[in-house]
Amino acid sequence: MNDSVLSTSYFNPISSTDYLPLSQMRELQTVRLQKIVNLAYEQVPLYRERMAEMGVSPRHIQNIKDISLLPFTKKTDLRDTYPRGMFAAEMKEIVRFHASSGTTGKPIVVAYTQSDLDVWREVVARSLASFGVQRGDIVQNAYGYGLFTGGLGLHMGIECLGATVVPVSVGNTERQIMLMRDLGSTAISCTPSYFLHLIDQAMSMGVDMRELPLRIGIFGAEPWTEAMRARVEQMTSIKAYDIYGLSEMAGPGVGAECYCQDGMHIFEDHFYPEIIHPETLEVLPDGEEGELVLSTLSKRAMPMLRYRTRDITKIETSPCPCGRTIRRIHRISRRSDDMLIIRGINVFPSQIETAIMRVEGTLPHYQIILTRVGGLDQVEIKVEIDSELFDGDIISSYEKLQKELVYSVERIIGLKVKITMVAPRTLRRSEGKLQRVIDERKF
């Protein structure tokens, strides 16, 4: 079989809808929204009841802009209808389940028909293609497999694109380094915090990651900053790219950066984005920051209408140099529901990370510990620093760095906090999503 015949079984990014003219994209979105609203109305009691309360029916959806007439969906809706209350397909059509960890209550169960998996596979492949993964690449997939969507979602897309997947999953860090070196992995997919752990482990094994063929990092599932990207790229030879997804939509592949590294393109032919004010719920124009709301336009097993992601971002208004016409959102650095209120001040962990990374001599590993003493909030930030500061008698340098950290954090969040500097590899590492905040306050 010649190569031209073989290649037809793989996804061709040139034939995707990433470059559709705006008018054609809106027509496609309108047709798909009308179908998905009909499906949700007929098959999902929660949507039918809420639409009836609002005096809305499928016939009112004449244009994609009419999406604003529809009710919002929240994570609590999925828990309240656990496990199958949001399904729009019969069990004989459902070919896979995934679920969240359930750390804050009942797990979120999501279902997929075969056509849903086909869409998911396609958008992940489009994500990978947008930042340069191609046939011939060896992608070490260090996201967790199983009920978590990361591992299997990336796996499908890698194979769809025609690249080679190493399904190593998460954990067993020494083996990860060995496989990366011996197999010649050219790309890796994992959480950014776990990749930092891999860098540490490689150093302890005498492996210089800058000498490996690794050139692309596919990072998501937790917030990370531009400062973190710069540090990762400085410590390795990779280009670090952001990929975005959530189980309620499909999993990874809802959006991804392109090689321009200037915001994540949303694959809006399948996931329609809106930005709302998180308190008033007003729909905001492109360019204004607010909460990202997403609607599935093609998911059959479990359609989601106007799902409130709680992720804070904005839609970029300028054209992307890559030529894609699908809109892109700014990096998600915080959520509307992970905000910390400390002594009456709103603080996001991402702000603290930015402050830490601005100070030379720090490592990208930290932990925020909140306590309450005498009714007053106390904040301690443990930060790993370069090993040289723990070698020999250089107390003056140590104290200077500590003062710089206190000042940098106070300047950004408006609070003076306790900084505890610790040696490298002191803080617990994570193989999945890292717990940056330990809140021991009693409310």
Side-chain angles (χ1 to χ4, degrees):
M1 182 180 292
N2 64 48
D3 190 67
S4 62
V5 174
L6 181 65
S7 65
T8 59
S9 64
Y10 296 115
F11 172 77
N12 179 4
I14 303 302
S15 65
S16 74
T17 54
D18 295 356
Y19 305 90
L20 272 183
L22 178 62
S23 59
Q24 292 183 34
M25 176 60 76
R26 297 295 175 261
E27 290 175 6
L28 175 62
Q29 290 169 332
T30 296
V31 170
R32 288 182 172 176
L33 177 64
Q34 289 172 331
K35 290 181 179 179
I36 214 69
V37 168
N38 270 292
L39 176 66
Y41 186 84
E42 293 173 2
Q43 302 298 330
V44 184
L46 181 141
Y47 284 129
R48 186 164 57 251
E49 292 165 7
R50 287 191 179 169
M51 289 173 66
E53 291 172 1
M54 299 172 68
V56 177
S57 69
R59 64 183 175 82
H60 290 100
I61 308 303
Q62 301 297 314
N63 187 283
I64 187 63
K65 292 183 179 179
D66 294 332
I67 197 169
S68 61
L69 301 174
L70 298 172
F72 291 106
T73 311
K74 298 184 293 184
K75 188 180 287 286
T76 53
D77 294 327
L78 280 75
R79 292 202 175 101
D80 292 344
T81 57
Y82 171 89
R84 302 181 186 177
M86 300 293 288
F87 291 6
E90 297 180 20
M91 276 306 305
K92 63 182 180 181
E93 299 177 84
I94 292 171
V95 297
R96 189 190 297 178
F97 288 130
H98 279 285
S100 69
S101 61
T103 55
T104 56
K106 290 182 179 179
I108 301 300
V109 175
V110 289
Y112 304 79
T113 64
Q114 185 57 56
S115 66
D116 295 337
L117 291 184
D118 293 341
V119 169
W120 189 12
R121 182 181 295 108
E122 174 203 321
V123 293
V124 174
R126 287 162 66 181
S127 300
L128 299 168
S130 69
F131 42 70
V133 178
Q134 55 192 335
R135 292 189 65 191
D137 273 316
I138 300 172
V139 185
Q140 188 157 319
N141 188 16
Y143 278 111
Y145 282 65
L147 288 175
F148 174 60
T149 57
L152 284 168
L154 264 296
H155 186 117
M156 292 191 304
I158 294 165
E159 290 186 335
C160 177
L161 195 61
T164 302
V165 62
V166 183
V168 66
S169 193
V170 71
N172 203 333
T173 305
E174 288 191 11
R175 184 179 63 175
Q176 297 268 5
I177 303 299
M178 179 190 71
L179 291 173
M180 196 181 302
R181 180 187 57 202
D182 296 347
L183 296 179
S185 301
T186 57
I188 185 167
S189 55
C190 60
T191 61
S193 57
Y194 184 58
F195 188 68
L196 289 169
H197 182 44
L198 285 171
I199 294 173
D200 283 350
Q201 186 63 40
M203 292 173 61
S204 68
M205 294 169 62
V207 176
D208 186 348
M209 294 188 75
R210 288 171 292 192
E211 296 180 355
L212 299 178
L214 200 65
R215 62 185 180 86
I216 291 175
I218 306 159
F219 302 134
E222 63 186 18
W224 56 301
T225 62
E226 283 298 323
M228 184 75 79
R229 191 211 301 266
R231 184 66 65 92
V232 164
E233 292 186 346
Q234 178 186 3
M235 299 170 73
T236 65
S237 58
I238 73 166
K239 297 292 286 184
Y241 295 98
D242 212 351
I243 189 168
Y244 179 69
L246 56 163
S247 299
E248 295 84 348
M249 294 294 107
V254 174
E257 287 185 315
C258 65
Y259 61 83
C260 299
Q261 294 181 308
D262 186 24
M264 293 181 288
H265 291 277
I266 297 295
F267 299 106
E268 58 177 312
D269 50 318
H270 295 296
F271 311 104
Y272 186 79
E274 300 174 88
I275 300 293
I276 66 167
H277 190 290
E279 295 178 4
T280 67
L281 307 185
E282 173 193 5
V283 178
L284 302 176
D286 289 359
E288 290 194 23
E289 185 177 79
E291 180 183 334
L292 177 64
V293 170
L294 291 169
S295 298
T296 59
L297 298 181
S298 53
K299 193 167 185 182
R300 310 295 300 175
M302 192 174 165
M304 285 284 106
L305 301 180
R306 308 192 79 196
Y307 183 76
R308 296 187 59 183
T309 68
R310 298 293 184 177
D311 291 326
I312 301 298
T313 185
K314 63 181 177 180
I315 293 176
E316 178 56 61
T317 57
S318 62
C320 186
C322 78
R324 287 175 175 78
T325 54
I326 52 175
R327 288 176 291 176
R328 64 192 195 277
I329 60 172
H330 279 221
R331 170 189 293 278
I332 294 168
S333 60
R334 68 187 195 274
R335 290 171 52 84
S336 63
D337 58 356
D338 73 353
M339 180 179 70
L340 306 172
I341 302 177
I342 304 171
R343 303 176 203 165
I345 297 176
N346 297 339
V347 177
F348 290 92
S350 58
Q351 294 175 298
I352 293 176
E353 179 176 301
T354 297
I356 291 170
M357 299 300 290
R358 286 182 177 178
V359 179
E360 187 175 354
T362 61
L363 299 176
H365 301 287
Y366 65 94
Q367 197 163 60
I368 304 163
I369 302 171
L370 304 176
T371 55
R372 179 164 290 165
V373 179
L376 184 64
D377 292 338
Q378 305 294 326
V379 185
E380 178 185 11
I381 303 174
K382 293 183 177 180
V383 184
E384 291 188 8
I385 61 175
D386 287 339
S387 57
E388 289 81 359
L389 289 169
F390 284 89
D391 297 333
D393 185 14
I394 45 177
I395 295 176
S396 60
S397 296
Y398 184 94
E399 292 177 344
K400 179 176 181 292
L401 180 58
Q402 188 175 45
K403 289 179 181 178
E404 288 177 357
L405 280 166
V406 170
Y407 175 75
S408 183
V409 172
E410 183 177 7
R411 185 178 179 186
I412 288 182
I413 70 172
L415 288 172
K416 193 167 186 177
V417 304
K418 177 183 177 182
I419 297 290
T420 302
M421 299 190 300
V422 298
R425 300 186 179 88
T426 299
L427 300 178
R428 181 179 177 272
R429 298 297 192 254
S430 171
E431 296 178 345
K433 292 187 180 182
L434 183 62
Q435 184 181 8
R436 294 287 194 192
V437 181
I438 299 177
D439 195 341
E440 299 177 345
R441 294 175 294 179
K442 304 296 182 182
F443 292 92

